[in-house]
Amino acid sequence: MPAYPVGQGFPRAARLLTGGEYRHVFDDARRVRGRHLTLLHRRRVEAGPARLGLAIGKRHVRLAVQRNRIKRIAREAFRLRRGNLPGVDLIVLARGGAGDLDRRTLRREIDDLLNRIR
């Protein structure tokens, strides 16, 4: 297991875990749209660091290997930037064609979406 610098891991406290937590974000989310991904975000009710949820549906990204690659890239981008994000709950959604993008293009789009959160 790699040793991450303090604050750069991806602990349970940094994830949306339950359906209720996802529903809370979906109910009143602000959207930041990219060409192939959408980022939903909502301020956290309780104080704390940003948390990430992933909803990469089979409808838009057919192959499991592509869905899993998008999730890995999104988690890594979030993990590295978590300390600089405001206290929000985030959900990454894939749109059509996201599975066909290369790693660099996906990472650039995710970074751009994270930069646009206010």
Side-chain angles (χ1 to χ4, degrees):
M1 171 145 8
Y4 295 111
V6 176
Q8 285 195 355
F10 193 56
R12 285 180 65 86
R15 304 179 216 160
L16 297 179
L17 299 172
T18 66
E21 292 171 342
Y22 276 85
R23 197 168 22 261
H24 175 74
V25 177
F26 278 117
D27 285 345
D28 189 28
R30 300 181 92 192
R31 294 182 193 279
V32 179
R33 294 179 195 265
R35 184 176 174 118
H36 298 284
L37 300 172
T38 299
L39 184 67
L40 305 177
H41 61 95
R42 183 174 181 182
R43 289 268 177 213
R44 291 191 61 181
V45 175
E46 67 282 347
R51 298 187 301 175
L52 176 67
L54 300 162
I56 311 300
K58 190 186 284 188
R59 178 180 180 193
H60 297 291
V61 183
R62 299 294 297 164
L63 299 177
V65 67
Q66 293 174 339
R67 291 192 304 273
N68 291 334
R69 184 172 55 88
I70 292 168
K71 291 177 197 178
R72 274 194 312 274
I73 293 167
R75 281 192 299 264
E76 181 70 4
F78 174 79
R79 183 185 70 79
L80 292 174
R81 302 186 52 157
R82 185 169 65 113
N84 298 328
L85 294 171
V88 294
D89 288 338
L90 306 166
I91 298 177
V92 175
L93 302 170
R95 297 168 68 186
D100 298 329
L101 299 176
D102 64 21
R103 179 187 58 80
R104 286 186 180 149
T105 306
L106 273 171
R107 178 61 187 267
R108 199 171 340 169
E109 184 163 344
I110 292 168
D111 285 338
D112 179 55
L113 294 174
L114 290 173
N115 284 337
R116 292 166 45 194
I117 293 176
R118 298 284 173 240

